[in-house]
Amino acid sequence: MNPLNPSFAAEVERSFAGQPIMNLLGARLILAEAGVVEITLPYRVDLTQQHGYLHAGVVTTIADSACGYAAYTLMPAGSEVLSVEFKVNLLRPVQGETFVARAEVIKAGKTLTVVRADVFAITRNADRELVATMQGTMICVRK
Amino acid sequence: MNPLNPSFAAEVERSFAGQPIMNLLGARLILAEAGVVEITLPYRVDLTQQHGYLHAGVVTTIADSACGYAAYTLMPAGSEVLSVEFKVNLLRPVQGETFVARAEVIKAGKTLTVVRADVFAITRNADRELVATMQGTMICVRK
Amino acid sequence: MNPLNPSFAAEVERSFAGQPIMNLLGARLILAEAGVVEITLPYRVDLTQQHGYLHAGVVTTIADSACGYAAYTLMPAGSEVLSVEFKVNLLRPVQGETFVARAEVIKAGKTLTVVRADVFAITRNADRELVATMQGTMICVRK
Amino acid sequence: MNPLNPSFAAEVERSFAGQPIMNLLGARLILAEAGVVEITLPYRVDLTQQHGYLHAGVVTTIADSACGYAAYTLMPAGSEVLSVEFKVNLLRPVQGETFVARAEVIKAGKTLTVVRADVFAITRNADRELVATMQGTMICVRK
C-alpha cells in the first residue's frame, strides 16, 4: 500500500500525542508504517472490570485508535480520520502484563477504509495470546 | 422480562462499584431495572481524542458495561456476565456536557443474551442527541 | 425524516423490481415510507439450512435490502445506495409461515446512513416473533 | 487445531448436502479441513441486485455457511452448529465469474467459536480480489 502523504508517520505521532485519553490510559504508539499501526498498553488495576481483567472498552479504545491511525497512514495530507463503526469479538479474559493492538488496513478507499485489529496479551514470559479482534470502518474527512 | 434473581439491583450496584475503570472515567450507574441499565458519564477533557470529542472507546466502555449489566439483571443468582462481542456505530461527533448509555435486553437466553445500547449526548440546554448505538452479545457464566 | 426525493416510493419499487434475487427468493416489497421499508418472504423449503430453518443468509438478504431501501427513501434524486457493512444477531431458529424484515433509518447523513432492521417470523396464528436484528451502514453514491 | 471428531469432513459434506439453499444458489463445498472450509459459487444473473452485482445477502449466505462449517470441523461428534451473529464489510462491487468464501477459525471454544471468512471474486483471468470479509460467532449445540 502506497502512502499518499510522505509525512504520515510524523502526523500519526502528532495526532496520537493529541489524544488525551491515551495519556490517561497509559497507551503508547509503537509502530506507524503504511497501513499498519501498533499501540501498546501496560496492565493497570484501574483499567479493569469486576474480575480484574482489562475492561473490554479499554481493549476497544486502543484497537480503535490503532485502526484509525492505520487508515490515516494511507490518507492524503490535510485529511482527518473518524471512526464510522467497529465490531469487536472478545476471545478470552484479557489477562497479561502488557497489551498490543496491531491494526492493518484491509481495503483503503477514497472515502472509507476497512481495517482489522488484533489485540494481544503479553505475559511475563513474553508469550503472546490473541484476546480480541476488531473489524471496522474509518472515514476520511477533508479539512 | 422477569428477573430470576430478586436481588439483581443490589448485585449490579455491587459489581459496578467493583469496576475500577468506571471510577477512573467518572462513570456512574443511574438505573438498574429488569432488562434495562443506564450509566452516565460527565464530559472530561482527558477522555477525548484529537478533536476534543469523547473517544469512541470511552463511549464503548460505558455502552458495554450498560449492556453487560442489563443482561445481568435477568440472569440467575450466582452468575457472572462476560461480553462475547459488540458492534458500535458512531453517528456524530460525541459532543456534550454529559453522556448517558442506556442498554435494553432484546433477547435473554439461558446462555447468551442480546442487548442494544444507545448513547446520548446531553447538552447544557438538556437536549438529548443520539451519538452512538451498540448491538452486542453477553454470556452467562455459572460460578 | 423529510424525504429529499418526492418520488422515492416509486423509485424504491422500481429498484426492488430490478433485484433478480428477490424474485428467486420470493420476496416482496410491502412498505416504503420515508425512512422505513418492509419486505416479506414466505417460507419455502428450498431456502432452508440443514435443520429446516430459514438460512441466516436468506434472513440477511431481506434485511439488507430493507435497510438499503429505507436509506434510499431519504436520499436525493439521482442517487444510488450501496451496503457498506452490516451486523446481524440471530435470536432464535427462524421458523414461521412468513417473514417480515422491517428497516428503519436511525441516522441519515449526506454520505452514510445508519439503519436497523428487525426480522419477524409470523406463525399460522399470526403471532409475531423477533428472530433476527441487523445494524448496518449504507452509502449514497451520486450517479 | 486438533479436530475432536475424526469423521468431521464426511459430516460437513453430509450436512452441506442437506442445506437446500446451497442447491438453489448453486454453491458447492470445495474444502473441509480442520478449522478451514471453502465454498464456491458461480455468478448467475438471478443472484444479483439492481446493478448486476451479486447481492450482499448471497455473499453473506456462502460466508456464513463457510464459517459455520469451519467451526463444525472442530466440534465433538454429535454436535450441531448454529450462527450466533456475524458482521460483514462489503469492500467493492461483487463482480466476477466465480466467488469463493474461505472461512478460518480464529478461536475454538467449548461453547462459542469465532470465525473469519474472506470472500473472493475470481475473474475470467483467474485474478482473485477480496470483495467482502465476515467476522462471526458460532455456537455448539449438543444433540
Side-chain angles (χ1 to χ4, degrees):
Chain A
M1 295 178 185
N2 285 326
L4 301 168
N5 179 356
S7 60
F8 74 84
E11 296 217 13
V12 167
E13 276 178 51
R14 194 159 40 97
S15 179
F16 186 91
Q19 287 205 336
I21 182 69
M22 293 298 135
N23 189 46
L24 181 70
L25 301 179
R28 283 184 309 109
L29 178 73
I30 55 172
L31 184 85
E33 295 176 354
V36 184
V37 161
E38 288 187 11
I39 292 172
T40 188
L41 179 80
Y43 177 85
R44 259 178 24 206
V45 171
D46 62 354
L47 305 178
T48 60
Q49 35 84 291
Q50 71 276 21
H51 310 113
Y53 306 135
L54 206 67
H55 193 283
V58 176
V59 173
T60 300
T61 303
I62 59 169
D64 173 50
S65 276
C67 282
Y69 287 123
Y72 193 54
T73 63
L74 301 177
M75 291 180 182
S79 305
E80 296 288 359
V81 62
L82 286 172
S83 300
V84 169
E85 58 83 31
F86 45 72
K87 199 259 201 170
V88 179
N89 280 80
L90 288 319
L91 304 175
R92 16 175 99 71
V94 187
Q95 287 178 289
E97 286 246 300
T98 314
F99 303 93
V100 175
R102 178 182 172 86
E104 299 191 32
V105 170
I106 295 175
K107 163 73 167 44
K110 223 183 252 190
T111 305
L112 299 178
T113 293
V114 176
V115 191
R116 179 170 297 145
D118 287 329
V119 182
F120 299 92
I122 297 163
T123 64
R124 203 160 298 188
N125 312 322
D127 291 332
R128 270 167 95 93
E129 200 173 34
L130 184 66
V131 291
T133 188
M134 171 183 279
Q135 186 176 308
T137 309
M138 304 289 145
I139 192 167
C140 176
V141 182
R142 308 298 157 102
K143 272 192 285 220
Chain B
M1 294 174 184
N2 286 324
L4 301 168
N5 179 357
S7 59
F8 74 84
E11 296 217 13
V12 167
E13 275 177 52
R14 194 161 39 97
S15 180
F16 186 91
Q19 287 206 335
I21 182 70
M22 293 297 135
N23 189 47
L24 181 70
L25 301 178
R28 284 184 308 111
L29 178 73
I30 55 172
L31 184 85
E33 294 176 354
V36 184
V37 161
E38 289 186 10
I39 292 173
T40 190
L41 178 81
Y43 177 85
R44 258 178 27 205
V45 171
D46 62 352
L47 305 179
T48 61
Q49 37 82 295
Q50 72 278 19
H51 311 112
Y53 306 135
L54 205 69
H55 193 285
V58 176
V59 174
T60 300
T61 303
I62 60 170
D64 173 49
S65 276
C67 283
Y69 287 124
Y72 192 54
T73 63
L74 301 177
M75 291 180 181
S79 305
E80 297 288 357
V81 62
L82 287 171
S83 300
V84 169
E85 60 83 30
F86 46 73
K87 198 259 200 173
V88 179
N89 280 80
L90 288 319
L91 305 175
R92 14 174 100 72
V94 187
Q95 286 178 290
E97 285 246 303
T98 314
F99 303 94
V100 174
R102 178 181 171 87
E104 298 191 33
V105 170
I106 295 175
K107 163 74 167 46
K110 219 182 256 194
T111 306
L112 299 179
T113 293
V114 177
V115 191
R116 179 171 297 143
D118 286 330
V119 183
F120 300 92
I122 296 164
T123 64
R124 207 160 297 188
N125 313 321
D127 290 333
R128 271 166 94 93
E129 201 172 37
L130 185 65
V131 292
T133 188
M134 172 183 278
Q135 187 176 305
T137 309
M138 302 289 144
I139 192 167
C140 176
V141 182
R142 310 297 158 103
K143 272 190 285 216
Chain C
M1 294 174 186
N2 285 324
L4 300 169
N5 180 357
S7 60
F8 74 85
E11 296 217 12
V12 167
E13 276 178 51
R14 193 161 40 98
S15 180
F16 186 91
Q19 287 206 335
I21 182 70
M22 292 298 135
N23 189 47
L24 181 70
L25 301 178
R28 283 183 310 110
L29 178 73
I30 54 171
L31 184 85
E33 294 177 353
V36 185
V37 161
E38 289 187 10
I39 293 173
T40 189
L41 179 80
Y43 178 86
R44 260 178 27 205
V45 172
D46 62 352
L47 305 178
T48 60
Q49 36 83 292
Q50 71 278 19
H51 311 113
Y53 306 134
L54 205 69
H55 193 284
V58 176
V59 173
T60 299
T61 303
I62 59 169
D64 173 49
S65 276
C67 283
Y69 287 124
Y72 192 54
T73 63
L74 302 177
M75 291 180 182
S79 303
E80 298 287 359
V81 62
L82 287 171
S83 300
V84 169
E85 59 84 28
F86 47 71
K87 197 258 199 171
V88 179
N89 279 81
L90 289 319
L91 305 176
R92 11 174 103 70
V94 187
Q95 285 178 291
E97 285 246 303
T98 313
F99 304 93
V100 174
R102 177 182 171 85
E104 299 191 32
V105 169
I106 295 176
K107 163 73 169 43
K110 219 182 255 192
T111 305
L112 299 179
T113 293
V114 176
V115 192
R116 179 171 297 144
D118 286 330
V119 183
F120 299 92
I122 296 163
T123 64
R124 205 161 297 189
N125 312 321
D127 290 333
R128 270 167 95 93
E129 200 172 38
L130 184 66
V131 292
T133 188
M134 172 183 279
Q135 186 175 307
T137 308
M138 303 289 145
I139 192 166
C140 176
V141 182
R142 311 296 158 102
K143 272 191 285 218
Chain D
M1 295 176 186
N2 285 327
L4 301 168
N5 179 356
S7 60
F8 74 85
E11 296 218 12
V12 167
E13 276 179 49
R14 193 159 40 96
S15 179
F16 186 91
Q19 286 206 336
I21 183 69
M22 293 298 136
N23 190 46
L24 180 71
L25 301 178
R28 284 183 308 109
L29 177 74
I30 55 172
L31 183 84
E33 293 176 354
V36 184
V37 161
E38 288 186 12
I39 292 173
T40 189
L41 178 81
Y43 177 85
R44 257 175 31 202
V45 171
D46 62 352
L47 305 179
T48 62
Q49 36 83 293
Q50 72 276 22
H51 310 112
Y53 306 136
L54 205 69
H55 193 284
V58 176
V59 173
T60 300
T61 303
I62 61 169
D64 173 50
S65 276
C67 282
Y69 288 124
Y72 192 55
T73 63
L74 301 178
M75 291 179 182
S79 305
E80 297 288 359
V81 63
L82 286 171
S83 299
V84 169
E85 59 83 30
F86 45 72
K87 199 259 199 168
V88 179
N89 280 80
L90 287 320
L91 304 176
R92 17 174 98 73
V94 187
Q95 286 178 290
E97 285 246 302
T98 313
F99 303 93
V100 175
R102 177 182 172 87
E104 299 191 32
V105 170
I106 294 175
K107 163 73 167 45
K110 222 183 252 192
T111 305
L112 299 178
T113 293
V114 176
V115 191
R116 178 170 297 143
D118 286 329
V119 183
F120 299 93
I122 296 162
T123 64
R124 204 160 297 187
N125 312 321
D127 290 333
R128 271 167 95 93
E129 200 173 37
L130 184 65
V131 291
T133 188
M134 172 182 278
Q135 186 176 308
T137 309
M138 304 287 145
I139 192 166
C140 176
V141 182
R142 309 298 158 101
K143 273 192 284 218

